Each structure stands twice: as structure tokens, then as C-alpha cells.
Amino acid sequence: MKIIVKKYNEQLLEWPKSGCHIMAQYDDERIIVYQAYRKEIGEFAVKNQFFGGEFSLNRMTWIKPNFLWMMYRSGWGTKEGQEVTLAIYLKITAFHKYLQHAVYTSFDQTEGISHDEWRNELENSNIRLQWDPDHDAYGVKQERRAIQIGLKDNFIRSFAKDDILLIEDISQFVKEQYEFVQNRQLENLTVPAEKPFVFKDEALNKKLKIKNEYAHGH
């Protein structure tokens, strides 16, 4: 596994407690996002290093850069159809492009446009964006908000093949770490090392409500 991991308890001390943050593992070229699938889809993706086979290009697919948010959604890989956890190394340029084109799923999260303008943007957009409460290792809601990004149509096609640098199956790691969670041994829990991601594009940061105090831009 190429992901850099770090003790959960150590990271908790460094992570922001509240606000909207894209918590992620990234460098200048790539950002890791997570998805969980049933066996056939996950195995095809790892073997071929792109999404195909039974993966649907016609349904919206949601990506999450935050590992624990994915674990909350998939029940640490125990929910039906979410048994295979994939770490997807995505080009930073693609991630930037997604968020530039993203429209909030809920009008409440938008700023500076009318309801009609938002509805029109949403209907014409192939990328959805929402901030949801983040969750800790036990699945308890946090004040900090986590991002998820929904892709469809032309964006799902470029995501499935062109935008990916590497697809890794991390299901075994997830299973091992889940045992510590179940046994309430968080002192042993390791998770991917994550820190807030901020764009160099200030207008985009403003749209996303992310503040520049924590991280260096991309």
C-alpha cells in the first residue's frame, strides 16, 4: 500500500475541529480520493487501473477525499455492495477542474446567487458538491465539515480513465483497522495521514468556503 499512514490519535491533535475542510492526502501532482464498491467493480478497477466492466457511466459516482468519512459511509467496508475500498490517486488538475464546475446540491450552501440561478446551474451541471458533518473513527458526528463530490456524464467518463494515476485496493488495511475500532483500541488505530487541502485559486476557495490558514495552496 502506497498510502502514508499515521496514528489516529496523533492526527486528531492536528486536525481542525470545525469549519469546511477538504481533509486529504496529497502532493503537488495527486490527491487521494476513496470509493467503496462490490467485488466485481473493485477487482476490475484494480486489475485494469481504470473503471469499466460493471461500473456504470450513466449513474452519478461520488468521491470522498476523507478516509474516515468513507469509513462512516461504508461501515468500514461491511455494508453490502461496499466491501471493496479503493484508494484512487487522482490528478490534482482533474480535482481542480471538478470543483471549478461543481454546483452545491443544496441552495442553503450557496452564496450570492438567487434560487432560480442556482436551480438552473444545478440542472446544467455534471458535478455536484456537498459539505456534510465529518465523523470520527466511531462514526460520531463532528463539527468539522467533510466534502463529497458527485460526477456524471462527461466528468464521470474522464474520471473513469484519464484522470486517474493509480487505483489501489485497501480493503485488507480497512479490515485490520476496523478491528481496533470494534475493540475500542484507538491507541492502535492508524489511518491515512491527512491535512487540509487548499487551492491556489482564491475565488475557488471562497466558493468552497475553505480558509487559507491551515495549508499550502495547489
Side-chain angles (χ1 to χ4, degrees), residues 132-149:
D132 299 283
D134 206 343
H135 291 75
D136 70 8
Y138 290 132
V140 177
K141 227 183 241 197
Q142 304 296 293
E143 268 189 54
R144 185 180 60 244
R145 295 260 156 179
I147 201 167
Q148 61 168 340
I149 303 147

Side-chain angles (χ1 to χ4, degrees), residues 13-60:
L13 304 172
E14 300 162 6
W15 288 345
K17 302 282 184 285
S18 61
C20 295
H21 298 281
I22 300 176
M23 300 302 294
Q25 185 164 137
Y26 58 89
D27 60 25
D28 291 340
E29 265 113 51
R30 74 203 67 188
I31 183 165
I32 299 175
V33 297
Y34 301 96
Q35 290 189 310
Y37 286 110
R38 64 177 196 272
K39 205 161 169 263
E40 300 79 23
I41 292 178
E43 284 179 354
F44 180 99
V46 173
K47 185 178 169 213
N48 297 285
Q49 289 297 299
F50 68 86
F51 285 98
E54 292 184 36
F55 176 82
S56 171
L57 293 168
N58 304 314
R59 279 176 55 195
M60 184 165 275

Side-chain angles (χ1 to χ4, degrees), residues 145-169:
R145 295 260 156 179
I147 201 167
Q148 61 168 340
I149 303 147
L151 314 171
K152 65 174 192 175
D153 296 346
N154 55 327
F155 283 105
I156 206 170
R157 283 190 286 277
S158 77
F159 165 75
K161 275 202 171 161
D162 305 335
D163 300 344
I164 293 171
L165 297 164
L166 175 73
I167 301 173
E168 232 180 1
D169 182 349

Side-chain angles (χ1 to χ4, degrees), residues 41 76 100 124 191:
I41 292 178
W76 288 84
Q100 267 185 320
N124 291 300
V191 294

Side-chain angles (χ1 to χ4, degrees), residues 1-8 11 25 32 34 67-68 71 76-77 83-87 89 168-181 188-194:
M1 196 172 81
K2 288 186 162 58
I3 295 175
I4 299 157
V5 295
K6 196 171 170 183
K7 283 272 183 262
Y8 172 66
Q11 293 199 74
Q25 185 164 137
I32 299 175
Y34 301 96
F67 176 78
L68 284 178
M71 295 305 97
W76 288 84
E83 298 85 0
V84 178
T85 307
L86 300 178
Y89 295 66
E168 232 180 1
D169 182 349
I170 59 164
S171 311
Q172 190 53 40
F173 169 74
V174 167
K175 197 174 170 186
E176 287 160 10
Q177 298 311 311
Y178 186 43
E179 284 190 19
F180 297 130
V181 174
N188 295 326
L189 178 66
T190 57
V191 294
E194 292 179 350

